[in-house]
Amino acid sequence: EAGVTQSPTHLIKTRGQQATLRCSPISGHTSVYWYQQALGLGLQFLLWYDEGEERNRGNFPPRFSGRQFPNYSSELNVNALELEDSALYLCASNRATGNEKLFFGSGTQLSVL
Amino acid sequence: AQSVTQLGSHVSVSEGALVLLRCNYSSSVPPYLFWYVQYPNQGLQLLLKYTSAATLVKGINGFEAEFKKSETSFHLTKPSAHMSDAAEYFCAVSDRGAQKLVFGQGTRLTINP
């Protein structure tokens, strides 16, 4: 069974540009979660999508947005990139049926120069 | 609001020694508690979870954790450290399954030969 896959592995952008990160959940999982792992800040919850709808959002500005497609894959978009957006962005998925554990991808390392 | 505090950003033990990683949580409702491990250049993997059943939870790779409500703690232990245990460990709390996971800052475990 394929795990959660994320692309690209690494992404280098300059300040002010837009970044698009992609995530494919495990087959059968309908929920996708995005987390930001910045140096010294631990993992911060960004977004939760389930069945194509945004269900919850962390404490991030509106320039962080995303969507979930009918096949349950997801995109995270970050507009007007700032230097402090440099981080590892982790995607996770589960079946969203209570306390199901999260399965994480290996992440996209975003560097903003 | 829920929160997690991991005491010690870095812990170093000798191979064969006891591993103890500390986690204290704050939650207004009975929590779900999790320990995840992150190996270099990988996503997070679930080690174990507490969801109001037995207070001593056994996980993978010989790890276990004990839920102590009176101390609001969920410390992770392993009797004998192995070199392969070197990784970053995250404690997390949720009040509604995995949808609102709040992570601690992480503890980097180093194993000395």
Side-chain angles (χ1 to χ4, degrees):
Chain A
E1 178 184 277
V4 177
T5 57
Q6 292 187 244
S7 63
T9 306
H10 293 86
L11 188 58
I12 300 175
K13 294 285 186 179
T14 56
R15 199 167 52 180
Q17 286 188 312
Q18 179 198 41
T20 298
L21 289 64
R22 297 179 176 83
C23 172
S24 292
I26 290 173
S27 177
H29 287 186
T30 61
S31 274
V32 170
Y33 308 78
W34 288 96
Y35 284 85
Q36 182 195 65
Q37 187 177 16
L39 272 176
L41 295 179
L43 282 101
Q44 305 291 324
F45 169 73
L46 261 167
L47 290 159
W48 167 35
Y49 291 97
D50 182 58
E51 297 285 359
E53 304 264 341
E54 182 180 302
R55 302 294 185 181
N56 202 353
R57 182 183 181 85
N59 188 25
F60 280 84
R63 57 191 186 82
F64 286 84
S65 65
R67 54 181 172 167
Q68 186 178 34
F69 299 99
N71 66 354
Y72 303 115
S73 67
S74 177
E75 271 184 4
L76 173 68
N77 295 294
V78 188
N79 293 321
L81 285 165
E82 300 179 2
L83 297 178
E84 53 264 34
D85 297 333
S86 294
L88 180 68
Y89 289 83
L90 292 169
C91 173
S93 73
N94 70 3
R95 289 189 175 87
T97 54
N99 60 2
E100 286 281 333
K101 70 178 184 181
L102 292 179
F103 293 80
F104 282 83
S106 298
T108 293
Q109 183 66 54
L110 173 63
S111 299
V112 182
L113 307 178
Chain B
Q2 296 170 305
S3 65
V4 172
T5 302
Q6 291 184 239
L7 300 174
S9 58
H10 290 89
V11 170
S12 182
V13 303
S14 298
E15 191 174 17
L18 170 72
V19 175
L20 171 60
L21 304 182
R22 299 177 187 274
C23 171
N24 288 88
Y25 70 91
S26 171
S27 177
S28 58
V29 298
Y32 295 150
L33 293 160
F34 305 80
W35 275 100
Y36 280 85
V37 59
Q38 185 179 31
Y39 297 103
N41 302 314
Q42 294 186 27
L44 278 71
Q45 301 174 33
L46 181 69
L47 273 178
L48 49 82
K49 64 179 181 181
Y50 166 78
T51 56
S52 75
T55 56
L56 183 63
V57 182
K58 294 188 183 299
I60 62 172
N61 301 338
F63 284 94
E64 61 183 36
E66 186 173 7
F67 172 68
K68 291 187 176 180
K69 185 178 178 180
S70 61
E71 299 177 8
T72 61
S73 69
F74 191 58
H75 302 331
L76 181 71
T77 60
K78 182 174 180 177
S80 177
H82 191 272
M83 295 299 291
S84 60
D85 295 328
E88 185 139 21
Y89 292 79
F90 292 91
C91 182
V93 63
S94 169
D95 67 354
R96 199 180 305 171
Q99 282 81 351
K100 295 183 178 180
L101 267 183
V102 175
F103 285 88
Q105 298 288 73
T107 297
R108 184 168 299 278
L109 176 64
T110 301
I111 311 297
N112 302 313

